[in-house]
Amino acid sequence: RKEVEQDPGPFNVPEGATVAFNCTYSNSASQSFFWYRQDCRKEPKLLMSVYSSGNEDGRFTAQLNRASQYISLLIRDSKLSDSATYLCVVTRGGGADGLTFGKGTHLIIQP
Amino acid sequence: GAVVSQHPSRVICKSGTSVKIECRSLDFQATTMFWYRQFPKQSLMLMATSNEGSKATYEQGVEKDKFLINHASLTLSTLTVTSAHPEDSSFYICSASSGGRETQYFGPGTRLLVL
């Protein structure tokens, strides 16, 4: 089983629609969870951290289910600028451990 | 926000040469720096973790004698790809964190092409 598994997509979504991504992770020792965004040929940029209680940042909502080892990201009212690859990321343990990245889900917002 | 720079952004070299990539934290002290590698259509893979002043910890399958990491100061880490070969062509990205915190700040990456 891959350490972090995501549907690679691509997800083709009309502008203004709501889109949801999921990922699963295998390392039960992971303590912190994130969604990163990566544009083509660029470095990943932190989109948001993910908490069990769920957290929202503008149009973005993230949720963590520790029991199922499942992480989700919801994007509402999608914009053309949301087109990117979304990376599900977990820490290898806690503190300043390295990160384990999923391969990413490619999102294309269509006008 | 915290800024991490990498230099060079792109390098093309002949097979057998060594290439040094610098990673700098510009506005904070990076107690830990990480080096990742990303092949096309693949996920970022952690290569090694380095703490300032101590030897780097390499991931399984990463040759420490081929990928030399130095983290001599709190703002600079270097990765040297020794005797580079075409299969080393990749996107190398560093990240830095401070004080044991989980947030990592990524550099813009270095594209290495070995001919």
Side-chain angles (χ1 to χ4, degrees), chain A residues 19-36:
Chain A
V19 61
F21 308 136
N22 307 312
C23 90
T24 56
Y25 63 95
S26 61
N27 183 3
S28 57
S30 296
Q31 294 188 20
S32 299
F33 309 88
F34 311 91
W35 282 101
Y36 276 74

Side-chain angles (χ1 to χ4, degrees), chain B residues 31-74:
Chain B
T31 47
T32 307
M33 283 186 168
F34 304 87
W35 286 95
Y36 295 84
R37 179 169 56 179
Q38 186 177 33
F39 292 107
K41 298 190 192 249
Q42 299 297 312
S43 55
L44 274 80
M45 296 295 292
L46 180 66
M47 298 175 68
T49 302
S50 76
N51 291 294
E52 185 263 339
S54 51
K55 287 184 180 178
T57 303
Y58 289 79
E59 294 302 301
Q60 192 172 13
V62 178
E63 299 172 56
K64 63 179 181 182
D65 294 329
K66 180 170 180 64
F67 298 98
L68 301 178
I69 291 172
N70 184 284
H71 190 172
S73 79
L74 284 171

